[in-house]
Amino acid sequence: MAIHEQLKKIILDTLPGVECVIGWGPGQDALHGSPVFMRKPEDVDSFMDTPLGAFGAVNNLALFLPELSGKKVGVVVKGCDSRSIVQLVAEKLIKREEVVIIGFPCEGAADLTKIEKALPEGREAGEVTGAAIVGETLKLSLGSEEISLGLADIKADKCTRCKTPGAVISDAFAGIAGKAPEVRDEYADLAALEAMSLDERFKFWEREMSRCIRCYACRNACPLCVCRDHCVAGSRSPHWITQTDSTRDKLMFQIIHATHLAGRCTGCGECQRACPAGIPVLLLKRTFNRGVAEIFGYDAGMDTEATPPLLTFQVEEAHIKEREWQ
Amino acid sequence: MKIGVFICHCGSNIAATVDVLKVVESAKSMPEVVYAVNSMYTCSEPGQQAIEEAIKERGLTGVVVASCTPRMHEPTFRRTVERAGLNRYMFEMANIREHVSWVGKDKAANTAKAVDLVRMAVEKLRLDKVLIPKFIPATRKVLVIGGGVAGIQAALDCAEGGMDVVMVESEPSIGGKMSKLDKTFPTVDCSSCVLGPRMVDVAQNERIELHAYSEIASISGYVGNFDVTIRKKATYVDWDKCTGCGLCTEKCPSKKSYDRFNEGMGETTAINIPFPQAIPKKATITAASCRLLSGGKCGVCAKICTSQAVDYTQKDREITVKVGAVVAATGYDLMDWTVYGEYGAGRYPDVITSLQYERLLSASGPTGGHIRRPSDGREPKEVVFIQCVGSRDPSVGRPYCSGFCCMYTAKQAILTKDHIPDSRSYVFYMDIRSPGKGYDEFTRRAQEEYKAQYIRGRVSTVYPKGDKLVVKGVDTLVGEQVELEADLVVLAVGGEASQNAPKLAEKLRISYDGYGFFMEGHPKLKPVETNTAGVYLAGSCQGLKDIPSSVAQGSAAAAKVLGLLSKDKLESDPQTAGVDVKRCVGCRKCINVCPFGAIREVDMRGQIKAEVIEAVCQGCGLCTATCPQGAVQLSHFTDNQVLAEVEALCQS
Ligand SMILES: Cc1cc2nc3c(=O)[nH]c(=O)nc-3n(C[C@H](O)[C@H](O)[C@H](O)COP(=O)(O)OP(=O)(O)OC[C@H]3O[C@@H](n4cnc5c(N)ncnc54)[C@H](O)[C@@H]3O)c2cc1C
Ligand code: SF4
Ligand code: SF4
Ligand code: SF4
Ligand code: SF4
């Protein structure tokens, strides 16, 4: 049985005990999918009923869990999504017993920006009339035109460094989890940025952030940004940022977002994926993630029992030897 | 708001490198500033009067003083503005001395920086709010941790002043290091004759509750209201029944237990009373040496005890007490001198520490006061003392002077001659440090009257030769190598903070330095206070010191405690955190980071919210730094106030 058929069966079995099961379904066009909230057995029909199938399961559905807390819900997860859940549980933002986690052996998810870039000059994703995955390629039809793209070239960057393609925790699993791949995140994406002088780097960010339209899609897509309506971005007291259209205020917001996610961000990349302006906001978060790993030996979203290093108080940190005098 | 700004010259401390008048001129154009003036010494009486007058005459509603560190004079100026009718929190200080004039020489740059700091203070002041302290009841009882001479003094003085005292001592008896000493400098009077009666006073004083062989398990609460959990370690003897007769110690068949009190110079029984003058004079079983407790068969002590005090089933017990103040007097320990391979690293039995030597000199010691070599029991004739072992030696991480070793070495040289008139003492020293009443005369006496031979220089190596020890060193005054054959080598081992000091400091929430010594509130003006309200220091836990200084600090700490608890209500600091429930999303981050357990979770119409317990909050600000949406704010240091300061700085 194909993975998505197996998943459907699990979802049907799960439905009676939960408020709903969150999964992926069709979206506005052949390429885009969107979350579906399945409450009744007939809702399950639309699950992964898309040309891209599991490869199009891009949304991190953990996003919806904090708001649904208090109710029991099921959720289908890629490996990276499961890390968000682990982190939410570790921070006690959701209760483990309130979620039924359904995993599957993820083989990577699409990066729609990469696909759009690969389209012929002047063509847009919305013009794609048909899509199908054949072996290791994605075949697209734009009217009469046919193009095919190698899956490896349009896979999200995060997938290339993913060490948890199967869920970190799950209550049900479709198929067999493969062996965890031997990958090491070298933070190669940060190298180019860090090769710049401070001045160049600042200019880089000013240029990037000048496109920001302050839609806060980045924040709203982040499964760990649980402040939602109470975000400092929109508050006068405290008045961390003004509402003026200044690049510095926009950058300030990104820095605040990155700081608030330090030691919590699992690198799911939803913030960057959601940004309509294509700003590489994940770089800031990944800089912190690397630092947290180096200083505290902590990797967010791997252990529900772990204490996030910045959400505790220790007179002496195990990894920071302040008082070594012997 | 009508703000007045006062810029201090601090004599020439500030004025020499800051153009004070220029700062005054700039201040005049800052928002809401209606008055700015310079002042020679703002903290002096006329300086403070000028502030009071300006408040009254010009109707000021807020004051900025630009002068020195707020650690020193913020309380002073808060009182000043309060006298003139303002709320004491409508005051801000800019530190243009420690942060400006003392650290930079460029007058133009300094002046610009001083203007920035003043502008920041003005901007913060504009957002200051009137804060009113609350009054909280206080428990009139003090906890003294450590029963050395400093702790004993603090306890007795507190009791004398009518205060109830709880004393916690980790060893089976109080007395500390002084109880191990034979005679004490500079008077060479018998240590136990001086200390003994004071220890008895502790036992007999009705106000003092003594918990020996106990430790602090945890401590929570705040000034006036500390909740202390004391762990009473199992002694396997019911101390209520034990009469201290010592019969058990005579009959115990396990006689090879390490003798802690005698610093390992002798061996003792598994059940033991450390020394004749011990307070409390009660027996304790060392479980590891006890035949029965380590799994074998015995039970001799239980049989012999006429009061049925022995109880092999005893367990550690915890009790809780409530106190209003704490005196930490945990003293010091000798550093681990075996890092010195050149002195044998502990391999040669006749190379001993100064404290071990005290036990050999003491009439109540393992040799009955006869100096005998540990190796063969022979009386030594040639004794070499090596000073600064683990003091003033950065190579072993001990750059500081232990303070008392020069003096006790001189004392030990004198006593050696007294005990063995035909002996000769040699002292290798770096410098002789003997400031103190009668101290220098004392070290001279050791040399002139008692003929101790002082050699200025370090010892490079000690090694055995036959039944002697060869000591090789250098005499830097003569510029020659020296080689001596000694019968006994005594190392003046330097001190360090007592072993568990950092752990205790964390429980008490006081700071400690890199060596584990507790930090005083101010090196000159608050020598026995800490930066945690209600916690005081006495004796060598704060830094190594001799008995007279330790006793003086004990009395000083007692005076502070008596002063603090002279009122039955204490003013609480209103600079605490508070939660804006409209903004709080109940993510509990603040609860997790608060080191004082001052935030709890409350259910507000089905939603989780955080709530600060004001009396417990210490105003550390960790929660505000953690809360992503800024729902928890620290009064007087709100995000907006800090941002206003940053903004002021960035705009200039
Ligand atoms: C060899 C030698 C000779 C000396 N000779 C002299 C002399 O002749 N004259 C002189 O003035 N000074 C002398 N001194 C210095 C003297 O020992 C100290 O000044 C004095 O003992 C300091 O007293 P204290 O109470 O601060 O500390 P301590 O005597 O160390 O007492 C501290 C007490 O606290 C207890 N304690 C430690 N940690 C804890 C804990 N966590 N909980 C509960 N209790 C705890 C300890 O068991 C101890 O009883 C000498 C020192 C040495 C090493
Ligand atoms: S990051 Fe890993 S789990 Fe996430 S989509 Fe890529 S391969 Fe799958
Ligand atoms: S900050 Fe971005 S990458 Fe990190 S958890 Fe949030 S959405 Fe994912
Ligand atoms: S999603 Fe992009 S454009 Fe929108 S606020 Fe974030 S960075 Fe700015
Ligand atoms: S300021 Fe916040 S973290 Fe600090 S003691 Fe008060 S409540 Fe706790």
Side-chain angles (χ1 to χ4, degrees):
Chain A
M1 220 192 314
I3 288 291
H4 96 273
E5 291 303 330
Q6 290 186 42
L7 281 170
K8 276 188 180 175
K9 199 176 161 314
I10 297 175
I11 296 170
L12 282 170
D13 291 346
T14 308
L15 267 185
V18 297
E19 183 89 7
C20 67
V21 176
I22 317 171
W24 303 273
Q28 77 243 31
D29 55 42
L31 289 177
H32 289 89
S34 83
V36 286
F37 293 75
M38 296 166 276
R39 290 165 208 279
K40 302 183 293 291
E42 53 269 35
D43 297 342
V44 182
D45 295 341
S46 67
F47 176 76
M48 278 198 186
D49 184 20
T50 58
L52 266 53
F55 190 62
V58 288
N59 300 61
N60 181 348
L61 304 173
L63 173 70
F64 302 104
L65 296 177
E67 243 161 318
L68 288 167
S69 83
K71 295 176 184 135
K72 185 151 180 156
V73 290
V75 61
V76 191
V77 293
K78 306 189 289 300
C80 49
D81 308 340
S82 77
R83 290 184 57 185
S84 306
I85 298 182
V86 169
Q87 187 65 19
L88 287 168
V89 172
E91 294 184 25
K92 299 190 175 63
L93 293 167
I94 58 174
K95 292 203 180 81
R96 177 66 185 91
E97 63 274 15
E98 283 180 0
V99 270
V100 178
I101 305 168
I102 306 169
F104 68 97
C106 173
E107 289 175 3
D111 181 337
L112 289 168
T113 321
K114 286 186 183 173
I115 300 182
E116 284 185 338
K117 279 210 183 109
L119 295 180
E121 198 55 42
R123 309 302 293 265
E124 286 176 15
E127 299 172 47
V128 174
T129 47
I133 293 179
V134 184
E136 282 303 300
T137 54
L138 172 67
K139 301 232 183 276
L140 297 176
S141 29
L142 289 96
S144 56
E145 220 170 314
E146 294 276 331
I147 50 172
S148 67
L149 305 169
L151 286 191
D153 302 329
I154 52 169
K155 211 184 258 187
D157 286 342
K158 64 175 175 179
C159 305
T160 60
R161 50 182 180 247
C162 175
K163 40 181 189 183
T164 60
V168 179
I169 45 169
S170 62
D171 300 295
F173 199 84
I176 310 152
K179 242 182 71 199
E182 293 270 328
V183 284
R184 235 184 87 90
D185 191 351
E186 304 288 353
Y187 293 91
D189 49 340
L190 298 182
L193 191 64
E194 282 165 359
M196 297 179 199
S197 69
L198 275 184
D199 210 34
E200 284 167 347
R201 222 182 297 174
F202 195 65
K203 291 225 172 70
F204 168 85
W205 282 115
E206 279 193 315
R207 196 165 57 241
E208 291 293 332
M209 291 316 302
S210 68
R211 297 201 305 280
C212 171
I213 53 170
R214 293 186 90 159
C215 64
Y216 298 125
C218 49
R219 175 193 75 194
N220 297 348
C222 175
L224 288 158
C225 268
V226 294
C227 308
R228 307 279 149 101
D229 296 344
H230 299 292
C231 174
V232 283
S235 127
R236 266 182 189 279
S237 182
H239 202 195
W240 278 88
I241 41 182
T242 70
Q243 302 309 316
T244 55
D245 181 39
S246 80
T247 306
R248 289 194 183 211
D249 270 308
K250 294 169 182 175
L251 181 56
M252 179 69 173
F253 174 69
Q254 284 310 324
I255 291 168
I256 290 175
H257 191 195
T259 315
H260 287 178
L261 267 296
R264 307 176 59 225
C265 170
T266 61
C268 72
E270 288 292 88
C271 45
Q272 181 157 319
R273 188 181 66 80
C275 178
I279 301 169
V281 292
L282 187 59
L283 290 175
L284 291 171
K285 281 112 186 180
R286 297 220 341 120
T287 309
F288 273 114
N289 290 358
R290 182 182 55 188
V292 167
E294 274 168 10
I295 297 171
F296 300 102
Y298 181 81
D299 207 2
M302 298 302 288
D303 178 4
T304 53
E305 300 301 314
T307 309
L310 298 181
L311 299 186
T312 179
F313 174 76
Q314 246 130 34
V315 176
E316 196 142 6
E317 283 291 344
H319 298 265
I320 306 175
K321 302 279 176 240
E322 277 182 85
R323 292 181 214 276
E324 273 204 335
W325 43 270
Q326 285 266 17
Chain B
M1 197 167 205
K2 286 174 137 183
I3 297 175
V5 181
F6 300 82
I7 319 279
C8 190
H9 289 242
C10 196
S12 64
N13 273 308
I14 292 170
T17 58
V18 171
D19 187 340
V20 172
L21 291 177
K22 226 177 182 163
V23 182
V24 170
E25 276 323 297
S26 305
K28 283 183 179 156
S29 62
M30 291 177 193
E32 301 189 90
V33 172
V34 296
Y35 181 61
V37 70
N38 57 319
S39 163
M40 193 42 93
Y41 287 106
T42 322
C43 60
S44 67
E45 203 184 358
Q48 293 191 49
Q49 231 151 32
I51 298 177
E52 287 178 55
E53 277 159 21
I55 293 172
K56 288 188 188 131
E57 283 163 18
R58 293 164 196 272
L60 301 181
T61 55
V63 168
V64 169
V65 170
S67 57
C68 48
T69 162
R71 271 185 78 171
M72 185 68 225
H73 277 321
E74 191 174 60
T76 314
F77 294 127
R78 280 185 174 166
R79 283 194 297 271
T80 312
V81 301
E82 205 161 41
R83 277 199 302 277
L86 289 190
N87 180 270
R88 72 173 84 140
Y89 295 97
M90 300 310 286
F91 166 77
E92 287 299 329
M93 209 160 165
N95 183 355
I96 60 167
R97 194 179 72 181
E98 281 84 344
H99 288 178
V100 182
S101 68
W102 279 358
V103 290
K105 288 200 181 109
D106 179 341
K107 198 162 184 171
N110 277 1
T111 307
K113 185 172 171 190
V115 171
D116 281 350
L117 294 182
V118 172
R119 184 180 300 112
M120 287 167 71
V122 168
E123 289 297 344
K124 165 135 195 281
L125 178 61
R126 292 176 72 201
L127 298 176
D128 278 350
K129 295 234 154 49
V130 167
L131 299 178
I132 314 279
K134 296 205 172 96
F135 286 87
I136 42 173
T139 309
R140 298 199 70 239
K141 196 179 217 176
V142 58
L143 167 73
V144 176
I145 310 172
V149 67
I152 289 173
Q153 184 72 22
L156 290 174
D157 283 3
C158 283
E160 177 79 3
M163 184 82 49
D164 286 333
V165 181
V166 179
M167 178 180 266
V168 173
E169 164 59 53
S170 55
E171 294 291 328
S173 169
I174 59 170
K177 302 297 172 300
M178 189 174 171
S179 62
K180 302 188 180 195
L181 305 182
D182 176 33
K183 307 268 185 327
T184 54
F185 63 74
T187 42
V188 203
D189 49 352
C190 150
S191 189
S192 43
C193 314
V194 190
L195 182 67
R198 312 235 70 192
M199 291 167 59
V200 175
D201 287 348
V202 169
Q204 290 181 345
N205 196 309
E206 285 181 354
R207 288 200 178 276
I208 305 179
E209 176 186 322
L210 173 61
H211 298 279
Y213 209 51
S214 299
E215 53 197 27
I216 304 298
S218 69
I219 196 157
S220 63
Y222 46 95
V223 58
N225 295 280
F226 292 105
D227 292 299
V228 187
T229 306
I230 300 168
R231 184 176 307 116
K232 294 183 71 91
K233 292 179 277 186
T235 56
Y236 306 101
V237 175
D238 182 343
W239 280 8
D240 290 335
K241 292 184 186 157
C242 173
T243 59
C245 69
L247 268 183
C248 51
T249 66
E250 287 162 26
K251 295 288 186 266
C252 174
S254 166
K255 299 195 188 301
K256 296 252 176 248
S257 188
Y258 178 83
D259 192 346
R260 271 179 77 77
F261 183 75
N262 284 319
E263 297 281 317
M265 282 291 92
E267 280 163 338
T268 187
T269 41
I271 188 162
N272 148 277
I273 298 172
F275 56 105
Q277 300 92 332
I279 295 289
K281 197 170 177 206
K282 307 281 177 188
T284 304
I285 300 182
T286 310
S289 323
C290 168
R291 294 193 178 171
L292 188 121
L293 287 171
S294 55
K297 279 215 185 88
C298 183
V300 168
C301 50
K303 269 179 233 127
I304 205 86
C305 177
T306 49
S307 15
Q308 276 89 44
V310 179
D311 172 8
Y312 301 113
T313 65
Q314 210 182 63
K315 296 260 160 350
D316 288 4
R317 236 163 12 103
E318 286 194 348
I319 59 162
T320 54
V321 289
K322 233 181 149 47
V323 297
V326 179
V327 176
T330 52
Y332 67 100
D333 276 318
L334 294 191
M335 68 94 69
D336 174 16
W337 72 271
T338 57
V339 297
Y340 284 96
E342 58 265 46
Y343 304 150
R347 284 190 315 268
Y348 314 137
D350 295 332
V351 178
I352 62 172
T353 71
S354 48
L355 210 48
Q356 290 175 321
Y357 197 52
E358 290 283 343
R359 296 314 301 147
L360 294 185
L361 290 166
S362 167
S364 69
T367 53
H370 302 291
I371 307 173
R372 301 211 182 283
R373 310 204 310 171
S375 61
D376 54 10
R378 199 161 57 74
E379 194 177 70
K381 298 289 180 209
E382 310 279 316
V383 183
V384 171
F385 295 90
I386 306 177
Q387 290 196 181
C388 293
V389 178
S391 297
R392 304 174 65 195
D393 187 353
S395 76
V396 295
R398 293 296 185 288
Y400 56 85
C401 169
S402 292
F404 43 52
C405 317
C406 287
M407 286 300 292
Y408 74 59
T409 304
K411 171 189 77 178
Q412 292 180 340
I414 288 175
L415 293 174
T416 308
K417 196 81 179 166
D418 273 345
H419 281 246
I420 313 168
D422 61 342
S423 68
R424 286 162 63 90
S425 291
Y426 304 87
V427 179
F428 282 93
Y429 70 102
M430 283 169 66
D431 300 288
I432 300 174
R433 298 190 160 173
S434 52
K437 203 164 160 182
Y439 282 19
D440 207 55
E441 298 91 310
F442 184 78
T443 56
R444 295 229 74 86
R445 247 171 70 207
Q447 297 171 56
E448 287 156 11
E449 225 174 280
Y450 288 85
K451 305 289 178 225
Q453 196 180 328
Y454 272 62
I455 305 161
R456 188 174 196 275
R458 272 219 177 272
V459 171
S460 59
T461 174
V462 177
Y463 59 89
K465 185 176 159 198
D467 70 344
K468 294 236 169 203
L469 291 155
V470 180
V471 181
K472 272 189 165 172
V474 57
D475 185 335
T476 52
L477 293 183
V478 193
E480 265 177 12
Q481 299 283 340
V482 225
E483 194 172 312
L484 297 168
E485 289 199 355
D487 297 310
L488 185 69
V489 174
V490 180
L491 306 177
V493 179
E496 63 182 18
S498 65
Q499 253 139 45
N500 285 319
K503 283 218 173 68
L504 182 66
E506 280 152 24
K507 287 180 187 153
L508 292 170
R509 302 183 305 257
I510 58 176
S511 333
Y512 53 100
D513 66 17
Y515 309 103
F517 292 114
F518 302 150
M519 296 284 282
E520 62 280 3
H522 185 283
K524 281 158 275 182
L525 298 173
K526 292 181 177 176
V528 296
E529 287 160 88
T530 65
N531 284 328
T532 300
V535 180
Y536 303 94
L537 306 175
S540 47
C541 60
Q542 175 263 346
L544 296 168
K545 50 183 67 64
D546 60 12
I547 295 163
S549 306
S550 301
V551 170
Q553 277 205 337
S555 288
K560 284 286 163 195
V561 171
L562 292 170
L564 173 80
L565 298 177
S566 61
K567 308 146 222 138
D568 48 358
K569 289 211 156 140
L570 299 178
E571 210 178 85
S572 77
D573 189 336
Q575 299 174 93
T576 53
V579 177
D580 177 352
V581 288
K582 294 192 298 300
R583 297 192 58 73
C584 174
V585 299
C587 68
R588 301 186 189 82
K589 295 185 172 69
C590 55
I591 300 177
N592 293 337
V593 295
C594 177
F596 304 100
I599 311 183
R600 63 177 162 221
E601 186 181 312
V602 290
D603 189 312
M604 195 173 268
R605 282 179 242 110
Q607 286 184 312
I608 298 168
K609 301 280 170 185
E611 184 179 86
V612 175
I613 311 158
E614 252 176 69
V616 185
C617 171
Q618 301 290 307
C620 70
L622 273 186
C623 54
T624 42
T626 306
C627 176
Q629 60 275 51
V632 49
Q633 292 286 331
L634 182 59
S635 310
H636 211 57
F637 294 94
T638 62
D639 286 1
N640 280 0
Q641 286 176 316
V642 177
L643 286 165
E645 290 180 282
V646 176
E647 201 92 339
L649 187 63
C650 293
Q651 275 169 10
S652 64

